[in-house]
Amino acid sequence: MAVHESLRLHITSEKFIIEAKDSVTNELLVIDRVTQEINLQVGSQIPEAASVKPIYGILGIIRLVAGPYLIVISQKSKVGEINGHSIWKITDTEIYSYKRTMLHLTEKQITDNRVYLTMVESFLKTDGFYFSSTFDLSHSLQRLANTSPDFMNIPLFDRGDPQFIWNGHITRELAQQPELGKFCLPVIHGFVCIRSCTVNNKAIDYILISRRSVYRAGTRFYMRGLDSEGQAANFVETEQILLYDGHKCSLVQSRGSIPLYWSQRPNLKYKPTPVISSTANHMDAFNRHFDAQIYSYGKQVLINLIDHKKPEGYLEKAFAQMIVNAANKDIRYEAFDFHHECRNMRWERLSILIDLIREERKELGFFSSSRDGITLTQQNGVFRTNCIDCLDRTNVVQSMLAKESLQDQLIYLQVLPPGKDVMDSQNFSYIFKNVWADNADILSKQYASTGALKTDFTRTGKRTKSGLMMDGLNSLIRYFKNNFKDGFRQDSIDLFLGNYLVEEQEGITRPSPLVNDRDWKFYALPAVFFVSFAMLVICLLLPDEHATEQILYIFFWGGFCISSVLAIYMFGESGDMGWGVQQTEFDDLLMG
C-alpha cells in the first residue's frame, strides 16, 4: 500500500487538484476551496488551472484564523535506500490558503493570522523531516518483523506509529477517508543517515534512524519531565541498522527526559534551577511511562548521566528513589556522574560505565533476520539513557553502546573474525563516528537550537581544547536562543501538532491568545552584558599607550559585566512567550 510519489498540483480559483502521475487509473484528489470538501475522482478531466506545479507529497491541512491551508512538499533530497526502498528528506514546503482574499477578516485578525502562519513556516524550516512512499520509517525492523501479513496491506499512514508521525494532526482530514490512503504520507522528524561502506573487505549498509516522539514535544527549557499520561519530554527512539548480504541486524536505544514531574523554565539565568513538583503524583505518571516502555521495548536499563551534586543531584536522588519505590523487576538503574567521572578531560573513564552494564548488553541482545526474512534473534529490552537535556552526554554514551553492539553483530554475521575490532578499519571508523556526531547535532538543533556539545569526542575519540571552545560558543548561542527564541518555537510546535487549535476568524468567537508580554529586562540586561563583555575583551586585547587609562577601562567595563550578571540573577523572570500563544494554563494541565 505505497503512497503516490509523483504528483502534480493544479490550482484553480475554486479547487486544489492533486494529480497522481504514477497512477494507471488517473486518480485525482480534489479539494474544494469554497465548501472545503475532499474527494477522490478517477478518470475525470482536469480543468484548466491558473498554476500547475510538481509536488512530492501532501504534508497536510492546517486551520488558521483565515481558514484552512494546504501544505505540500515542494523539494526533497534522497538520503539513500533501505532494501531497495528510497528514503527522502524534505528540503522545502509550500503553503496555500483555501481563501483567495482576506476581506472577511479584521485588521487584527489579519495580523494574528500572519503570526500563526509565520509559526508554521518557521517550524517547517526545522531540519530533519523524512519520509518514504514505500517503507515504514516509524517502526523498527523488529516491530515490522513481528507483524502479520495483513498488517503490511494496511495503508502506510494508517499502520504507522502515531508516536513518531509528525504530520498526524494535519493529515487527519485526509486519513478519515480510507480511499485517500495513497495520498496520506507519514513523515517522521529526527535524523536518518544511510552509508554504504566496507568492513573487512565486505560491503555493508550502515544506517542510523532517530525518531522523535510527538508526545510532550518541544524545546529545551519549555518541555521537561513527564505529563499526566506518562509521556516524557524529548523522547527519541534511535535505531542502528546493519545490512549485509540480505541479512539484517538492528539495535534500538531510547532517550527521554527524567521521568518525574519537574520543570526548568527560562529566566535569564544560564542554568535555571530545576524544580520538582511537590504536589503531583509522581508514581502514577512514572508507572504509566514505564508500563508503556516495557510493553513496547521489554526490559529497561536506565542510564542516568546527570550530576550527583545539586541542583541536578536532587533530580538524581528523586529518580533513584522512585525506582526503589516502584520495585519493578523489569527496570535496572545505573547512575553515572558523567561530569565528575570524566573531569579534567579523562573521557577514557567512560569505559567504567560500559563495563558496569556489559552483562545487561549481552542479555538485551539485538534483532537479526535471515535473507528470507526469518527472525533469528530478538532484542529483549533497551538502554534508556538520559542526562539533563538528553542530548550531549546521552549521545556520547549511546554511540559507545552502539559500537559495542555493532561489533557483536559483525562477528555474528561473520563479517569480522572474533577479536578483530571494527574500528581498526579507518574508513568505517570515520563514517561511524561522524554519523553519530551528525545525529547529535541535528537532534540538538531540534531541541536546543544549536549543534551538540562534546561532538569532538564522538568524531575523534578524544576531547580537545578546540572542542571545548566550540562548546563554549554553542553554550552562549543556546543561552540566547533558549531565552529569546524558544518560546516562539515551542508555540510553533504546539500549533503544528494540534496541541493548540486555532478557530477560524479567531477574535470573534474568542479573544486572541497572541501576546507580547516580555518584560523590558529580557532585552536590556543581556544586551548590557554582551556589550560590556565585548568592550572588556577589546580593552584586554588592544594595548593602550596609557596603562592607567587602560586599567580604568578594564575596571569600568568589567564592572558593567559583573553588574549585569548580578541583575540577571536578581531580576530574571520566568516565561518567554514572545509573539506566541499564552501557554501557562496549558503547561499547568500537562503537569497535572
Side-chain angles (χ1 to χ4, degrees), residues 207 233 402 445 488:
I207 303 166
K445 288 175 182 177
F488 187 88

Side-chain angles (χ1 to χ4, degrees), residues 58-61 129 157 164-172 184-188 214 496-497:
I58 303 170
L59 204 55
I61 300 166
F129 289 102
F157 187 89
F164 301 117
I165 296 178
W166 276 68
N167 61 332
H169 166 67
I170 62 174
T171 311
R172 70 194 187 285
C184 296
L185 180 68
V187 173
I188 70 166
V214 302
F496 188 84
L497 293 178

Side-chain angles (χ1 to χ4, degrees), residues 357-365 383 404-405 408:
I357 55 179
R358 190 171 300 279
E359 290 304 314
E360 279 78 10
R361 191 177 61 76
K362 297 290 186 182
E363 177 189 343
L364 299 185
F383 288 102
E404 295 289 320
S405 180
D408 292 342

Side-chain angles (χ1 to χ4, degrees), residues 154-332:
I154 299 173
L156 197 61
F157 187 89
D158 292 340
R159 74 172 186 246
D161 189 338
Q163 181 178 11
F164 301 117
I165 296 178
W166 276 68
N167 61 332
H169 166 67
I170 62 174
T171 311
R172 70 194 187 285
E173 293 185 47
L174 299 174
Q176 288 171 355
Q177 301 184 45
E179 67 273 16
L180 302 183
K182 290 188 176 182
F183 290 90
C184 296
L185 180 68
V187 173
I188 70 166
H189 194 216
F191 177 77
V192 180
C193 187
I194 302 171
R195 292 285 185 270
S196 296
C197 47
T198 58
V199 174
N200 197 28
N201 295 320
K202 297 177 181 179
I204 67 168
D205 285 338
Y206 180 74
I207 303 166
L208 193 66
I209 303 174
S210 283
R211 308 172 178 98
R212 293 189 71 200
S213 173
V214 302
Y215 303 132
R216 200 153 174 76
T219 58
R220 185 185 179 208
F221 285 140
Y222 284 93
M223 282 296 168
R224 297 295 210 189
L226 296 177
D227 64 17
S228 57
E229 297 299 316
Q231 301 294 348
N234 198 24
F235 183 84
V236 183
E237 173 188 284
T238 298
E239 181 180 19
Q240 174 180 266
I241 299 174
L242 170 64
L243 305 179
Y244 168 66
D245 193 26
H247 293 273
K248 305 173 188 175
C249 291
S250 88
L251 175 76
V252 171
Q253 300 184 67
S254 67
R255 66 177 77 183
S257 188
I258 294 171
L260 303 169
Y261 284 116
W262 65 284
S263 59
Q264 196 179 16
R265 301 290 285 190
N267 60 2
L268 289 181
K269 298 179 181 179
Y270 179 67
K271 284 187 177 181
T273 302
V275 177
I276 304 175
S277 174
S278 59
T279 58
N281 187 342
H282 293 275
M283 183 56 73
D284 180 66
F286 181 92
N287 285 333
R288 283 173 179 259
H289 177 70
F290 281 107
D291 285 347
Q293 294 301 298
I294 292 167
Y295 177 81
S296 298
Y297 300 106
K299 182 178 179 179
Q300 302 283 298
V301 180
L302 313 182
I303 303 176
N304 189 5
L305 303 174
I306 66 173
D307 299 346
H308 290 187
K309 294 182 179 179
K310 59 183 182 181
E312 289 188 17
Y314 295 124
L315 282 169
E316 193 282 320
K317 289 180 175 62
F319 190 8
Q321 188 59 50
M322 193 64 57
I323 292 167
V324 172
N325 295 343
N328 191 322
K329 63 180 178 61
D330 289 319
I331 297 177
R332 149 99 152 90

